[in-house]
């Protein structure tokens, strides 16, 4: 039995005070949005409770699918590194960036510099897709975060990365591992075009051609389960989780995280998913448990 924990969109608070010189372009609208709305949603106490509860479950590995940052100030990346390191060692904690981590063009370098150890493959080579083998799992990290114009939160994978993903998924068939794809944006979403993964149709075609066992994501800050087409009539679950810092009653779904308990072998995998989240009185409790696969 291998236990994978998944949390997403911590949007670390409080936001560092930006310098005037840093409030250029998209950061201006993002900063106003934080001050007016988001700072009341993303609560560091809530996040600390979620993390403490998750650690008490002693998962074998932790996956974080993006949006540590808010408006990608340099200080947010230093805080983000401390937070990632507080979860566990880089080999035990895998991260893929979200749109808020690549909010402005220069931020991609900040993310790579501060968080690179959590998004590199087993040979410590950075870049996407990356591959980590952990027990029966193959964790494949891809990045959908790209800088966009103000008021847009779209994602983009790009031809090169998608080709790499197809090659990786195909090559892994021979290894008989449970293939988990980590991505920030949902492959399927009702959230509208301004938040969508714009090249999702290509991603869906790759999953349909080469298969995967599980796709996990964040971005919409809600619990989601969509079944994607895999090869030969199989289906691939794509599961989204709420923001790990969302105060109860302030966001679409209150803070939670998922535990996946995985065992078996190709053709006979079982995967149970457990949701643990925050209640109105601030306790973290089990909210849902069901067999996703098998
Ligand atoms: Fe987010």
């Amino acid at each position: 039995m291998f236990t994978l924990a998944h949390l997403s969109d911590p949007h670390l608070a409080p936001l560092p005070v930006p310098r005037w010189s840093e409030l250029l372009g998209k950061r201006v609208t993002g900063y106003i949005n934080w001050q007016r709305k988001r700072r009341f949603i993303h609560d560091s106490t809530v996040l600390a409770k979620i993390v403490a509860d998750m650690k008490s479950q002693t998962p074998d590995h932790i996956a974080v699918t993006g949006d540590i940052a808010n408006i990608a100030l340099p200080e947010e990346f230093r805080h983000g590194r401390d937070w990632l390191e507080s979860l566990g060692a880089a080999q035990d904690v895998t991260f893929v960036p979200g749109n808020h981590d690549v909010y402005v063009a220069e931020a991609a370098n900040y993310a790579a510099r501060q968080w690179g150890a959590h998004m590199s493959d087993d040979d410590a080579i950075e870049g996407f897709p990356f591959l980590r083998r952990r027990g029966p799992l193959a964790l494949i990290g891809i990045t959908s975060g790209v800088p966009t114009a103000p008021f847009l939160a779209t994602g983009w994978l790009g031809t090169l990365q998608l080709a790499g993903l197809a090659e990786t998924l195909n090559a892994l068939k021979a290894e008989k591992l449970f293939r988990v794809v980590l991505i920030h944006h949902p492959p399927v979403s009702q959230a509208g075009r301004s938040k969508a993964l714009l090249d999702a149709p290509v991603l869906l075609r790759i999953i349909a051609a080469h298969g995967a066992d599980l796709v996990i994501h964040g971005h919409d800050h809600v619990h989601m389960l969509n079944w994607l087409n895999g090869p030969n009539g199989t289906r691939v679950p794509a599961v989204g989780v709420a923001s790990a810092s969302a105060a109860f009653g302030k966001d679409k779904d209150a803070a939670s995280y998922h535990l996946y308990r995985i065992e078996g072998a190709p053709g006979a995998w079982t995967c149970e998913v457990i949701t643990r989240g925050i209640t109105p009185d601030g306790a973290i409790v089990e909210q849902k448990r069901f067999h996703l696969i098998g």
Side-chain angles (χ1 to χ4, degrees):
M1 169 90 70
F2 190 96
T3 302
L4 173 69
H6 174 218
L7 58 83
S8 197
D9 299 74
H11 290 284
L12 295 188
L15 188 66
V17 178
R19 297 192 191 96
W20 283 108
S21 60
E22 290 169 337
L23 282 182
L24 292 171
K26 189 176 176 180
R27 281 203 187 115
V28 179
T29 49
Y31 185 63
I32 293 167
N33 191 24
W34 174 264
Q35 290 295 348
R36 282 195 183 155
K37 195 173 111 188
R38 298 175 76 98
R39 71 191 170 106
F40 302 109
I41 296 172
H42 299 293
D43 185 321
S44 57
T45 309
V46 170
L47 179 62
K49 285 184 181 180
I50 287 283
V51 168
D53 189 86
M54 182 191 66
K55 283 185 171 180
S56 76
Q57 302 289 324
T58 61
D60 296 298
H61 198 84
I62 298 169
V64 184
T65 50
D67 280 5
I68 287 177
N70 296 291
I71 59 172
L73 296 166
E75 194 67 19
E76 292 188 86
F77 292 88
R78 285 189 282 272
H79 291 169
R81 185 175 66 182
D82 292 344
W83 181 77
L84 276 172
E85 287 176 354
S86 78
L87 298 183
Q91 69 265 23
D92 299 323
V93 180
T94 300
F95 176 77
V96 293
N99 50 301
H100 283 262
D101 305 313
V102 195
Y103 208 63
V104 290
E106 69 262 35
N109 294 328
Y110 300 157
R113 201 178 311 148
Q114 298 286 0
W115 307 340
H118 297 268
M119 42 185 190
S120 60
D121 69 21
D122 289 328
D123 300 318
I125 297 168
E126 294 176 17
F128 298 94
F130 64 80
L131 169 63
R132 296 177 143 196
R133 294 173 181 84
R134 299 288 182 274
L137 267 58
L139 299 158
I140 304 129
I142 53 178
T143 180
S144 56
V146 285
T148 63
F151 309 110
L152 289 180
T154 47
W156 181 255
L157 294 163
T159 313
L160 211 59
Q161 188 180 195
L162 284 161
L165 176 66
E167 199 180 310
T168 303
L169 289 173
N170 190 39
L172 281 168
K173 283 176 200 164
E175 294 193 38
K176 306 190 183 319
L177 296 170
F178 186 91
R179 295 168 297 171
V180 186
V181 176
L182 282 62
I183 181 173
H184 179 68
H185 286 77
V188 177
S189 171
Q190 310 300 320
R193 196 166 165 80
S194 67
K195 289 193 73 175
L197 178 64
L198 296 178
D199 48 4
V202 188
L203 173 63
L204 294 176
R205 283 205 293 278
I206 287 169
I207 302 273
H210 300 289
D213 297 286
L214 173 66
V215 178
I216 55 174
H217 66 80
H219 189 54
D220 285 3
H221 297 194
V222 292
H223 293 279
M224 292 166 63
L225 170 58
N226 285 285
W227 290 93
L228 315 179
N229 291 326
N232 307 316
T234 56
R235 296 192 311 155
V236 179
V239 188
V241 70
S243 160
S245 62
F248 195 92
K250 301 283 187 187
D251 204 358
K252 291 154 232 167
D253 281 343
S256 66
Y257 70 97
H258 289 157
L259 292 167
Y260 295 92
R261 300 205 190 277
I262 298 154
E263 58 186 335
W269 291 114
T270 63
C271 175
E272 184 182 39
V273 57
I274 299 156
T275 304
R276 294 182 63 84
I278 197 154
T279 63
D281 58 5
I284 310 292
V285 300
E286 183 174 317
Q287 297 174 326
K288 205 185 265 186
R289 177 188 288 251
F290 65 97
H291 275 273
L292 188 63
I293 300 165

